[in-house]
Amino acid sequence: MSAIRIRRASNEDGSFMFDQAARLAALAALPWHTNADVLGFQHRFMANTLARAEADCGTFNAEDDAAQQLGFIHAEASTGSITLEPSAYIALLAVIEAAEGQGVATRLLEAAEDWARAQGFRLIMLDVFANNRRSVERLTARLNEGPNDAEEQGAAPGGGTVPLARAH
């Protein structure tokens, strides 16, 4: 793959982001819901999430040298579920299938971490559907690279919270 560039998302990126909804819904793999229900949820969640004021969030896109969009991440101001302190929350993270395993998600996570640090947050949170095994395994490995907040780490299966000072 050519170089990965990370940039702030713009209104023109909305179509690409919403095009990822079907992939995100499929990765959730929730057999007790119909595909239409999960896709409807994903569209509603994305619309509400991406409508937040820009001052409260950081949305970034990854693209290659040819400006092909590879993925996006949306982080927003939130409150830690255990400590109730202001924290960052990664509400959306998607990478196109052709770019999986090439470092795109890592670069997007780094951009969200940088945004969170710039906002003065100590913690960053992320949830992953447990059925999304590949992401759960990769994120668990990333969180286990260094010490993390064990109290908050167990807050959600397939997700957790990591102190930003150690999130590299």
Side-chain angles (χ1 to χ4, degrees):
M1 168 176 282
S2 58
I4 301 167
R5 286 193 314 265
I6 305 297
R7 63 171 175 75
R8 270 277 203 186
S10 67
N11 289 337
E12 290 78 36
D13 297 316
S15 293
F16 168 75
M17 290 184 219
F18 276 94
D19 285 348
Q20 306 315 304
R23 180 161 160 69
L24 290 170
L27 288 171
L30 303 174
W32 52 91
H33 292 293
T34 68
N35 288 341
D37 288 342
V38 176
L39 185 58
F41 158 77
Q42 191 63 51
H43 276 280
R44 288 188 308 277
F45 181 78
M46 289 177 72
N48 290 334
T49 298
L50 295 172
R52 291 196 53 171
E54 189 173 318
D56 293 337
C57 61
T59 307
F60 301 92
N61 272 46
E63 59 187 22
D64 64 14
D65 288 335
Q68 177 185 349
Q69 294 183 322
L70 305 173
F72 75 96
I73 195 166
H74 176 87
E76 56 191 42
S78 187
T79 303
S81 57
I82 303 296
T83 63
L84 302 180
E85 70 183 277
S87 304
Y89 174 66
I90 297 173
L92 294 164
L93 171 60
V95 174
I96 64 170
E97 189 171 6
E100 279 186 4
Q102 298 181 37
V104 176
T106 297
R107 293 286 310 280
L108 288 166
L109 285 165
E110 289 168 352
E113 290 168 357
D114 290 345
W115 173 84
R117 278 188 200 92
Q119 307 311 304
F121 298 129
R122 183 180 72 89
L123 302 172
I124 191 164
M125 302 173 289
L126 170 68
D127 296 318
V128 178
F129 284 109
N131 290 340
N132 187 347
R133 301 253 184 249
R134 183 174 181 177
S135 292
V136 169
E137 289 169 7
R138 287 177 180 233
L139 288 167
T140 300
R142 180 177 171 83
L143 289 172
N144 289 331
E145 286 176 356
N148 55 57
D149 188 331
E151 177 186 45
E152 292 217 25
Q153 176 60 28
T161 302
V162 63
L164 286 166
R166 301 179 190 139
H168 280 290

